[in-house]
Amino acid sequence: MAYTLVNLIALVVGLAFLINGYVMVKQGREAIALFVVSVAIGSGLIFVAVFPDVFQVIATVLGLELKARAILVISNLTLFVVATYLFNRIGKLYDRLSRLNEEVSLLRTELEEQRNE
């Protein structure tokens, strides 16, 4: 099993995902779901960096000829899951922002009415 620069980069990026997820949760800035996504991606990258031949097994199981196609399939599926999560999160944040704007407008109107009395 030969390790290359790509394996080292995957290991470093995987560790960065793990550390970033931990730091965000520790600071209380994000939900635990984001930590789970960060751990899944980081752990996957670290696993692939340590065991680079795993994609040959995945290619065989999926009936693909090349290891590169297995990498493409897995990376696209991972990207789909992450993008779906982020789109859902953005939608929820837009809803919260809209509600906050409505509440601020109501409070501003109420405050102006109290000042005019």
Side-chain angles (χ1 to χ4, degrees):
M1 185 178 325
Y3 294 103
T4 63
L5 180 61
V6 174
N7 297 94
L8 179 63
I9 292 170
L11 182 67
V12 169
V13 171
L15 289 172
F17 265 99
L18 292 179
I19 292 168
N20 187 47
Y22 174 76
V23 167
M24 286 193 317
V25 169
K26 186 176 179 183
Q27 292 175 349
R29 290 186 348 211
E30 289 295 334
I32 200 72
L34 186 58
F35 175 72
V36 170
V37 170
S38 293
V39 166
I41 292 172
S43 299
L45 284 170
I46 291 170
F47 183 78
V48 169
V50 174
F51 304 106
D53 293 333
V54 73
F55 280 110
Q56 189 59 50
V57 175
I58 293 171
T60 303
V61 169
L62 294 177
L64 302 172
E65 297 172 16
L66 301 174
K67 182 167 72 169
R69 289 188 181 166
I71 292 170
L72 183 63
V73 167
I74 299 299
S75 63
N76 282 340
L77 290 174
T78 303
L79 180 61
F80 175 74
V81 169
V82 171
T84 302
Y85 169 76
L86 291 176
F87 288 147
N88 287 336
R89 185 98 166 123
I90 289 169
K92 289 178 184 177
L93 290 174
Y94 277 138
D95 288 342
R96 287 180 65 190
L97 181 63
S98 178
R99 276 188 256 123
L100 284 173
N101 284 333
E102 290 173 7
E103 291 176 10
V104 167
S105 295
L106 290 173
L107 287 173
R108 186 176 290 150
T109 303
E110 188 177 315
L111 182 62
E112 288 175 5
E113 287 176 357
Q114 286 181 357
R115 285 185 184 168
N116 291 335
E117 291 178 357

